[in-house]
Amino acid sequence: MVKAVAAGVPSLAPFFDETSGLGRDAPDVKAQPVRGSLQQGDTPGLYGGSKQPTVCDVKKLKAFLTDPTNDQKTQAWARALGITTGEIPEYLDRLTPVLLRHDTLVKNHDYKKGKAVPYDSLLQAGIAILVDQQGQPAVKCSCGNPLRPFAGDTNRISVKFEDGNKEWKGYDRSSVVAVRPAARPLEKIALVDVDDPDRGINRPVGTGGARDDTFDTRKTEAVPGLAGKTFGEARQALADKGLATGYDTGSVPADGARVTASDPPAGTELRFGQYVMLSVAEGSSPGDGDTTSPPPTQSSVSEPSTPGTSAPESSGSTSTSPSAGPPTGPSTSPSTSTPSGPSTSTSPSVPTSPSTSVTSSPPTVTSAPPPSPPPKETASTPPVTTSAPPPVTTVAPPPVSTSAPPPVSESAPEGPTSSVAT
């Protein structure tokens, strides 16, 4: 469940009074379409800007948070963002004011009974926020509420419109986006003027608009050749060109997934912020070589390992973790379990030299029958018969028959006689 927060609508339990002049939303901003619900903080055109530099008053927010009379709020505010109260001034100096161009999912916070109470919310396009050095939403400007990344599944949300936050015009479930941090700290953020989309704004991180540079968003760039690159490399190459990365899978592809094609193709001229859809190879990742080599070994060692391997491989198509984690686990367990199986079943056969029976098959064949008489070893004997048919083919009947000493005495007169007598 996600609570809708409309532009210009005051919060019921804000950290600071909405009329205190901390920030001002732009209610007329129309949400832009998005190609992939998870986008990084450095995606070109993800955020908007305005010629009005007072969209967020960071100095006033800093004054409120360093005022001793607001000490309880200050402590709750800092805890929500994972910093100390002493780090607040420096933290605020690194934040940058922007306007949302997409309906954006975040973890918001109300201030109730001296504590920051978290809740998932959908912020309408046009809301003014402060973002950190990696483009991550950090503060809602109008009320000072701290913001954290949305941790839920963007494809499985139910938006609740209440408390004056009516469903806004142009709301489109498919245009909702959640922001994850850019791969590296940013020096500047490329914005689109919400009042004039043909005007771009390069805003240095930690500034409020006084040092903005402008550029023409109509200027085109050619889509670079991306086939063969990893998804992470392709995304960075597009960002360097001022182009956004799109994907049509349910979840964002792993950074190591190999790109097979782009739409539009390489050489196509696009203007700033337009999306390039990337197709990736299923199951591709930086560790592809490691992922494909274990399965043959596992299948040749034992059948049970095959099902265990197939499950991680199927999930590895969209994530790097399956390629790095699961394959290693299964490949280790079959190799250790297989030797341990034979060694356990052959150890009853050769009490004096279990290591010999594991190392070579012949010793196991000749010495396996004698020790099999004990009834309790009958359960472990069958695995020997099934797991290693060649060596135990001629000697298999004696171990199966626990109540028949004669066959044992025939195969080894001296050894069995003493053991049976005992």
Side-chain angles (χ1 to χ4, degrees):
M1 182 65 68
V2 175
K3 292 178 64 176
V5 178
V9 177
S11 173
L12 294 181
F15 265 74
F16 299 103
D17 188 353
E18 299 267 359
T19 62
S20 59
L22 284 175
R24 182 173 60 258
D25 297 335
D28 297 329
V29 176
K30 182 182 178 182
Q32 301 299 306
V34 68
R35 301 291 184 267
S37 57
L38 277 177
Q39 292 292 326
Q40 287 199 163
D42 59 350
T43 300
L46 178 65
Y47 297 122
S50 172
K51 295 179 181 178
Q52 303 173 358
T54 57
V55 64
C56 293
D57 196 331
V58 180
K59 290 183 178 179
K60 185 174 287 188
L61 178 60
K62 185 187 296 186
F64 283 3
L65 289 170
T66 54
D67 186 343
T69 60
N70 292 326
D71 182 62
Q72 192 172 17
K73 284 185 178 182
T74 300
Q75 291 186 35
W77 193 91
R79 278 194 296 268
L81 290 169
I83 61 176
T84 65
T85 54
E87 294 172 325
I88 288 178
E90 184 180 353
Y91 178 78
L92 290 173
D93 288 340
R94 296 194 300 266
L95 301 183
T96 309
V98 300
L99 292 168
L100 295 178
R101 295 186 73 224
H102 304 276
D103 294 341
T104 305
L105 290 163
V106 297
K107 177 173 285 186
N108 205 342
H109 294 79
D110 276 337
Y111 182 73
K112 296 179 178 179
K113 298 181 180 180
K115 296 182 179 180
V117 181
Y119 65 97
D120 291 328
S121 68
L122 178 66
L123 305 184
Q124 183 186 4
I127 287 180
I129 65 170
L130 293 170
V131 298
D132 64 16
Q133 289 177 300
Q134 291 176 289
Q136 190 75 46
V139 181
K140 185 173 181 292
C141 292
S142 64
C143 57
N145 287 3
L147 306 176
R148 298 295 290 166
F150 176 76
D153 186 344
T154 57
N155 297 307
R156 301 184 64 181
I157 61 170
S158 177
V159 182
K160 192 173 184 179
F161 295 88
E162 61 180 7
D163 300 328
N165 298 283
K166 297 180 181 180
E167 183 171 330
W168 47 82
K169 183 180 180 181
Y171 167 69
D172 182 356
R173 174 66 184 78
S174 64
S175 292
V176 170
V177 67
V179 183
R180 68 179 190 176
R184 57 193 181 190
L186 306 175
E187 294 182 358
K188 59 184 179 181
I189 300 177
L191 312 173
V192 173
D193 192 325
V194 295
D195 300 315
D196 181 9
D198 292 337
R199 178 177 179 265
I201 301 171
N202 279 321
R203 180 165 294 172
V205 169
T207 66
R211 294 166 51 190
D212 287 353
D213 288 331
T214 61
F215 61 93
D216 189 348
T217 61
R218 294 170 297 183
K219 182 180 178 181
T220 61
E221 289 282 355
V223 175
L226 303 173
K229 293 182 180 293
T230 66
F231 185 79
E233 292 170 341
R235 177 171 50 200
Q236 191 58 57
L238 289 172
D240 292 342
K241 291 277 190 178
L243 303 175
T245 300
Y247 58 92
D248 55 9
T249 54
S251 58
V252 61
D255 281 347
R258 292 289 171 183
V259 175
T260 57
S262 67
D263 181 21
T268 306
E269 295 285 333
L270 298 178
R271 60 180 287 168
F272 176 82
Q274 286 190 295
Y275 280 92
V276 176
M277 301 293 289
L278 298 182
S279 299
V280 299
E282 292 186 4
S284 61
S285 68
D288 268 354
D290 299 332
T291 324
T292 54
S293 57
T297 307
Q298 295 166 355
S299 59
S300 63
V301 172
S302 64
E303 292 181 10
S305 64
T306 306
T309 321
S310 60
E313 284 181 350
S314 62
S315 62
S317 60
T318 56
S319 171
T320 54
S321 58
S323 63
T328 307
S331 65
T332 307
S333 58
S335 61
T336 54
S337 63
T338 304
S340 65
S343 63
T344 314
S345 57
T346 53
S347 59
S349 306
V350 189
T352 56
S353 57
S355 58
T356 308
S357 61
V358 177
T359 307
S360 61
S361 302
T364 307
V365 177
T366 55
S367 58
S372 58
K376 61 180 181 180
E377 301 298 335
T378 308
S380 61
T381 305
V384 178
T385 309
T386 54
S387 61
V392 193
T393 304
T394 55
V395 196
V400 176
S401 164
T402 57
S403 59
V408 180
S409 58
E410 289 177 4
S411 61
E414 298 178 2
T417 305
S418 58
S419 61
V420 170
T422 304

